[in-house]
Amino acid sequence: MTRVALRPAINAAVETLRAAGVHSPQADAEHLAAHVLGVERTRLALTPLVAPDTLTEYRALVDRRAQRIPLQHLTGTAAMGDIDLAVGPGVFVPRPETELLFAWALAQLEALPHDHSPIVVDLCTGSGALALAIAHARPDADVHAVEIDAAALRWARRNADRCIADGDTPITLHADDVTDPNLLSELTGRVDLVVANPPYIPEDAKLDPEVADHDPHLALFGGADGLDVIRGMIPTITRLLRTGGATAIEHDDANGSDLAALLGKQGDFTDIVEHPDLAGKPRFVAAIRS
Ligand SMILES: C[S@@+](CC[C@H](N)C(=O)[O-])C[C@H]1O[C@@H](n2cnc3c(N)ncnc32)[C@H](O)[C@@H]1O
């Protein structure tokens, strides 16, 4: 069968995606091509010619991306740390900005005595992204993950099963509400690290179609100011952490100082620090249980 050139198809896809308002048309066009070919994006140049069927499949995916279906729903995966997570309809797609919170969390665990097996809790786990990436990086950790939404939990279970099959230490998934005063009562005062990427977008925010139409509503919105779930889970975090335990909570870029103030008002935290993301926007607040 005559093979056909891939690069002109990629260039055409970039234009299609740009015209559709996709924010990163070049990267997405290349990611989709790499996905169809089953290669790393950096190795696309090594496949200059492809079968016509491959191009047909590629163009169909580009058309769906032009309808603003998230790239990760089309490829079926999103990354966190050193793991890939299966994602799709019904679960929040993990975002690159959360990698900074993840890196901060690992640094906290590194600073603990090396003979100490840490207890870690991930509140609002979604696909299991933070919990599973931490368990992968720290096989000695006892990792618990909490999620209220049944559909998201199914994705988290699927990801957790795959991580176990790949040799990672199992995490414990809890179908529960992070604002429940009795949540994980057996861990009260024993937890070394609580991480959370909760729903934090203010209700009236205007969102891209990829987010508004495809991430679950429950994963996105945190009430009028975006802080409803965060306010509800601060008592949980305070109760779970041991003295000297650490927490990091991701937030809307408008809410960094409000969240820092909430933790300060609680009176049980020191070293409250606001951290920016790679774009320089306020993204998560970290604190230590006093
Ligand atoms: C922004 S997503 C984050 C998912 C994951 N942590 C990540 O970074 O990809 C927030 C998640 O919190 C869950 N959630 C919302 N309210 C919750 C609650 N009260 N208790 C537990 N989980 C909740 C949502 O279903 C959603 O999966």
Side-chain angles (χ1 to χ4, degrees):
M1 187 189 300
T2 314
R3 296 172 80 78
V4 286
L6 175 63
R7 189 42 69 177
I10 293 179
N11 293 342
V14 173
E15 291 318 312
T16 303
L17 297 182
R18 183 171 289 126
V22 170
H23 291 305
S24 47
Q26 184 78 41
D28 285 24
E30 292 182 0
H31 276 301
L32 289 174
H35 172 68
V36 169
L37 292 173
V39 300
E40 295 288 321
R41 182 181 163 202
T42 49
R43 300 183 75 79
L44 277 176
L46 301 179
T47 318
L49 298 176
V50 298
D53 286 357
T54 305
L55 270 198
T56 307
E57 190 187 340
Y58 176 56
R59 288 188 181 118
L61 275 180
V62 170
D63 286 347
R64 295 182 68 208
R65 183 71 189 95
Q67 292 159 22
R68 308 297 294 268
I69 295 172
L71 175 72
Q72 297 83 352
H73 284 201
L74 299 174
T75 61
T77 61
M80 182 64 64
D82 286 337
I83 65 167
D84 284 329
L85 299 133
V87 292
V91 74
F92 179 84
V93 173
R95 306 293 207 271
E97 46 267 41
T98 306
E99 295 274 1
L100 295 176
L101 190 159
F102 168 66
W104 182 92
L106 285 194
Q108 297 306 303
L109 297 179
E110 269 303 300
L112 295 173
H114 286 297
D115 58 353
H116 176 75
S117 295
I119 301 179
V120 179
V121 173
D122 174 19
L123 298 177
C124 298
T125 197
S127 62
L130 283 168
L132 292 168
I134 289 172
H136 180 78
R138 288 294 301 252
D140 58 328
D142 176 15
V143 180
H144 296 257
V146 182
E147 171 59 51
I148 201 169
D149 181 50
L153 261 177
R154 280 195 290 278
W155 285 100
R157 286 218 171 84
R158 174 174 163 186
N159 285 317
D161 287 348
R162 223 215 35 242
C163 286
I164 293 171
D166 289 347
D168 289 352
T169 306
I171 66 166
T172 310
L173 281 169
H174 303 264
D176 223 323
D177 183 341
V178 298
T179 67
D180 179 345
N182 297 314
L183 179 74
L184 303 179
S185 53
E186 68 284 6
L187 296 180
T188 295
R190 297 174 51 210
V191 175
D192 297 285
L193 175 67
V194 177
V195 292
N197 177 17
Y200 57 64
I201 299 175
E203 279 298 342
D204 61 358
K206 198 154 167 25
L207 302 173
D208 288 331
E210 287 88 342
V211 182
D213 301 342
H214 296 280
D215 280 319
H217 188 277
L218 191 61
L220 297 175
F221 298 104
D225 64 357
L227 288 167
D228 279 5
V229 178
I230 291 178
R231 267 190 217 95
M233 74 185 189
I234 287 177
T236 305
I237 297 174
T238 310
R239 176 175 55 78
L240 289 175
L241 284 176
R242 63 165 172 80
T243 302
T247 189
I249 306 168
E250 194 170 307
H251 58 75
D252 186 73
D253 53 28
N255 278 337
S257 38
D258 288 344
L259 173 51
L262 276 178
L263 288 169
K265 212 169 81 188
Q266 176 81 3
D268 293 307
F269 292 96
T270 60
D271 302 272
I272 300 169
V273 179
E274 297 175 40
H275 292 259
D277 61 21
L278 293 174
K281 294 181 176 172
R283 188 51 63 203
F284 72 93
V285 172
I288 303 296
R289 178 78 163 89
S290 51

